[in-house]
Amino acid sequence: MKQIYFISDAHLGSRALEHRRTQERRLVRFLDQIKDKAEAVFMLGDMFDFWFEYEDVVPRGFTRFLGKVSELTDNGVEVHFFVGNHDMWMDDYLTQECGVLVHHEPCLMELHGKEFFLAHGHDEDVLLNDWRTKLMFKVFESRKCRRLARMIHPHWFINFGYNWAKRNREKHFIEGEPVFLGEKDERLVVFAKNYLASHPGVNYFLFGHRHIELDLMLSHDCRMMILGEWYSKFTFATFDGENLQMNNYVEGETWM
């Protein structure tokens, strides 16, 4: 039986990563390795460090990645892309050019008889965050602000976006990568528990966003995962219709 794969947070193109071209190639090799085993691939956001589409302009680069994604969809593999806080300005380019199903909101989806709550996680994180973060995301999501941004020349605005993302990533490098805060303080865990209380039929919650690897039972028949990231941990999850497993991609290893 073919498997369903879940990955997130590659931050392709990040100017804070020294070997970003090597990182893209590694992701492409992973996708190439699973192309004949995959029923579907779910990319749970922040696959790009910055993404903004003008009507006739998209960010340069990512040729190998976009080509491999197109190969997957051409061969009948469903590829779902959930926008994250770094690529929330995605429009229809991946849909029209690569055959990708783009989701701008979290989704409840039934996969082989199991109920999955799938999201990048920034919206759920913001629900429990301070007012400054909520205001920032409100501005980022505003259609009016997007129209104003499109009036700026792509050279200036896309460079601004990449440099903004670079400063945030370098701040994480200085302060240290995020760690699990415990069930009471980890906002995505708090959100999932609250949501489960009113939607007891959910079997799995899968998120990206936090860059930590977390595999947690919320109840006897509900499990939650946060999928790490794809620039140092190279985390992915697989679902074969019965079992959900989290793994780390190591080149040269043989795995199913």
Side-chain angles (χ1 to χ4, degrees):
M1 181 178 181
K2 291 194 173 184
Q3 300 197 75
I4 299 172
Y5 291 82
F6 304 89
I7 60 175
S8 73
D9 294 272
H11 290 270
L12 293 173
S14 173
R15 294 178 178 176
L17 301 178
E18 185 177 354
H19 303 293
R20 53 185 178 270
R21 185 69 73 191
T22 301
Q23 177 213 15
E24 181 190 8
R25 289 192 174 105
R26 186 172 189 166
L27 177 56
V28 168
R29 284 192 287 271
F30 168 77
L31 294 174
D32 189 63
Q33 200 166 340
I34 70 172
K35 65 183 180 183
D36 296 323
K37 307 170 186 176
E39 171 188 335
V41 178
F42 288 83
M43 300 180 178
L44 297 186
D46 283 3
M47 297 302 292
F48 303 100
D49 203 43
F50 179 73
W51 184 275
F52 188 90
E53 294 178 30
Y54 293 76
E55 284 190 13
D56 299 303
V57 178
V58 295
R60 67 179 295 176
F62 323 119
T63 304
R64 296 167 182 81
F65 172 68
L66 295 176
K68 185 56 63 177
V69 169
S70 299
E71 181 184 346
L72 289 174
T73 60
D74 286 347
N75 290 336
V77 179
E78 277 193 8
V79 178
H80 295 256
F81 193 109
F82 287 73
V83 300
N85 48 299
H86 281 252
D87 39 34
M88 66 171 64
W89 304 278
M90 187 165 289
D91 204 343
D92 63 355
Y93 180 81
L94 261 68
T95 300
Q96 297 295 327
E97 298 295 328
C98 305
V100 173
L101 299 167
V102 176
H103 302 271
H104 290 271
E105 301 289 341
C107 250
L108 268 178
M109 194 173 296
E110 184 177 310
L111 302 173
H112 296 291
K114 298 294 185 180
E115 194 78 15
F116 281 75
F117 183 98
L118 302 171
H120 176 60
H122 64 292
D123 286 332
E124 292 70 26
D125 190 20
V126 166
L127 284 173
L128 301 168
N129 217 318
D130 62 83
W131 68 269
R132 288 164 295 191
T133 304
K134 291 179 181 178
L135 177 61
M136 180 180 71
F137 277 95
K138 200 76 173 175
V139 171
F140 285 170
E141 292 169 351
S142 163
R143 290 187 178 274
K144 184 178 290 187
C145 288
R146 289 177 67 171
R147 287 196 295 270
L148 289 173
R150 285 196 173 101
M151 297 173 65
I152 304 172
H153 191 282
H155 173 76
W156 299 110
F157 189 68
I158 289 176
N159 269 292
F160 168 78
Y162 275 120
N163 288 329
W164 177 297
K166 178 184 177 182
R167 285 195 295 272
N168 286 339
R169 179 61 40 220
E170 288 175 338
K171 180 181 177 182
H172 283 301
F173 289 154
I174 293 170
E175 296 178 351
E177 288 298 313
V179 296
F180 179 51
L181 301 175
E183 292 188 35
K184 292 183 179 179
D185 295 319
E186 194 66 56
R187 286 191 287 261
L188 290 180
V189 175
V190 173
F191 169 85
K193 287 183 175 182
N194 290 340
Y195 190 90
L196 184 62
S198 58
H199 299 77
V202 179
N203 301 112
Y204 299 104
F205 289 86
L206 267 74
F207 299 103
H209 185 54
R210 280 281 287 125
H211 296 197
I212 61 173
E213 295 175 340
L214 179 67
D215 186 350
L216 181 68
M217 294 299 300
L218 300 180
S219 71
H220 70 282
D221 58 358
C222 183
R223 189 171 166 197
M224 171 184 174
M225 283 186 178
I226 300 178
L227 293 176
E229 36 80 357
W230 252 84
Y231 54 83
S232 64
K233 298 183 177 76
F234 307 103
T235 316
F236 67 99
T238 57
F239 181 62
D240 62 6
E242 295 184 7
N243 300 305
L244 181 69
Q245 295 183 336
M246 189 184 296
N247 299 280
N248 299 91
Y249 176 61
V250 179
E251 291 189 279
E253 282 192 357
T254 302
W255 40 267
M256 296 299 293

